[in-house]
Amino acid sequence: GRNRKRVTALLLHTPAYAPRVVTRIVRSQAMLGRLPGIHRIVGKARKNYRVASLYKKIMIEGFGVNKEDFGVNMKNLRNSNYEASMEFLLDVLNHDYTYIISTFSIPIYVIMPDRDRLVNGNEIANLSKIGKNVTVRVLEGAGHGWSGALIRKQNRILSEIF
């Protein structure tokens, strides 16, 4: 793009870039969510704080998430466009963008939790084999949601990288 020369590094956090990276449970939910009746129900239910909160705690983030972080995530969920979110997910489930990573000459840093429920960590760890400029850092004991301790651990990794 027009600013490509100004970009000196790329940071990816729990990236979804290919079908094999997305966990089976998320792929199943996406396929179910495409059904017309389910699609409408989920589109409305995600705006209900109690329903969305319970879903996120059980299926995505777990119950030990930092309260402030969870609040930000819920606000983002309510403000996001459901159709655009589904379009992005379905695009990732139907296309493999791994090749793009090998086209970058700048350093690419990937941070990922080892217990994420949305992406397959083993696949993401293989990114360092795809591009010689890729460094993958794993947050041990972390899921998709963040506790205070995991936020501090991530901040340490970021300070080491940058």
Side-chain angles (χ1 to χ4, degrees):
R2 60 189 164 117
N3 293 317
R4 193 169 184 140
K5 290 181 181 178
R6 290 179 31 198
V7 177
T8 58
L10 183 62
L11 175 65
L12 303 176
H13 196 292
T14 317
Y17 53 85
R20 70 184 177 285
V21 174
V22 180
T23 62
R24 182 178 300 143
I25 189 74
V26 173
R27 287 193 309 263
S28 299
Q29 289 176 44
M31 294 305 122
L32 186 63
R34 290 176 62 187
L35 299 173
I38 303 286
H39 186 79
R40 279 192 300 280
I41 292 168
V42 172
K44 289 181 182 182
R46 66 192 297 275
K47 298 291 183 179
N48 180 301
Y49 185 87
R50 287 188 179 157
V51 171
S53 173
L54 185 62
Y55 169 80
K56 285 180 77 60
K57 287 178 180 177
I58 292 171
M59 298 301 291
I60 300 173
E61 297 182 348
F63 287 87
V65 177
N66 173 286
K67 188 175 183 176
E68 183 179 339
D69 187 54
F70 188 77
V72 169
N73 289 344
M74 289 302 294
K75 182 180 177 188
N76 290 341
L77 177 68
R78 286 192 308 273
N79 292 331
S80 67
N81 181 298
Y82 179 61
E83 298 300 325
S85 299
M86 281 300 293
E87 186 175 330
F88 167 77
L89 179 57
L90 294 173
D91 186 53
V92 168
L93 292 176
N94 291 302
H95 299 91
D96 187 335
Y97 295 102
T98 307
Y99 70 93
I100 293 174
I101 293 165
S102 65
T103 67
F104 283 93
S105 58
I106 59 174
I108 299 173
Y109 301 99
V110 180
I111 297 177
M112 56 167 265
D114 67 344
R115 296 183 188 158
D116 196 287
R117 296 177 183 172
L118 302 179
V119 295
N120 180 340
N122 292 331
E123 287 294 336
I124 293 174
N126 287 330
L127 279 177
S128 59
K129 297 174 186 171
I130 293 165
K132 61 181 181 280
N133 55 331
V134 178
T135 302
V136 178
R137 297 291 300 267
V138 178
L139 290 164
E140 301 294 331
H144 197 75
W146 296 90
S147 66
L150 292 173
I151 291 170
R152 289 188 293 279
K153 190 183 288 189
Q154 175 185 256
N155 288 342
R156 278 194 302 276
I157 289 173
L158 289 172
S159 68
E160 291 169 11
I161 291 173
F162 298 106

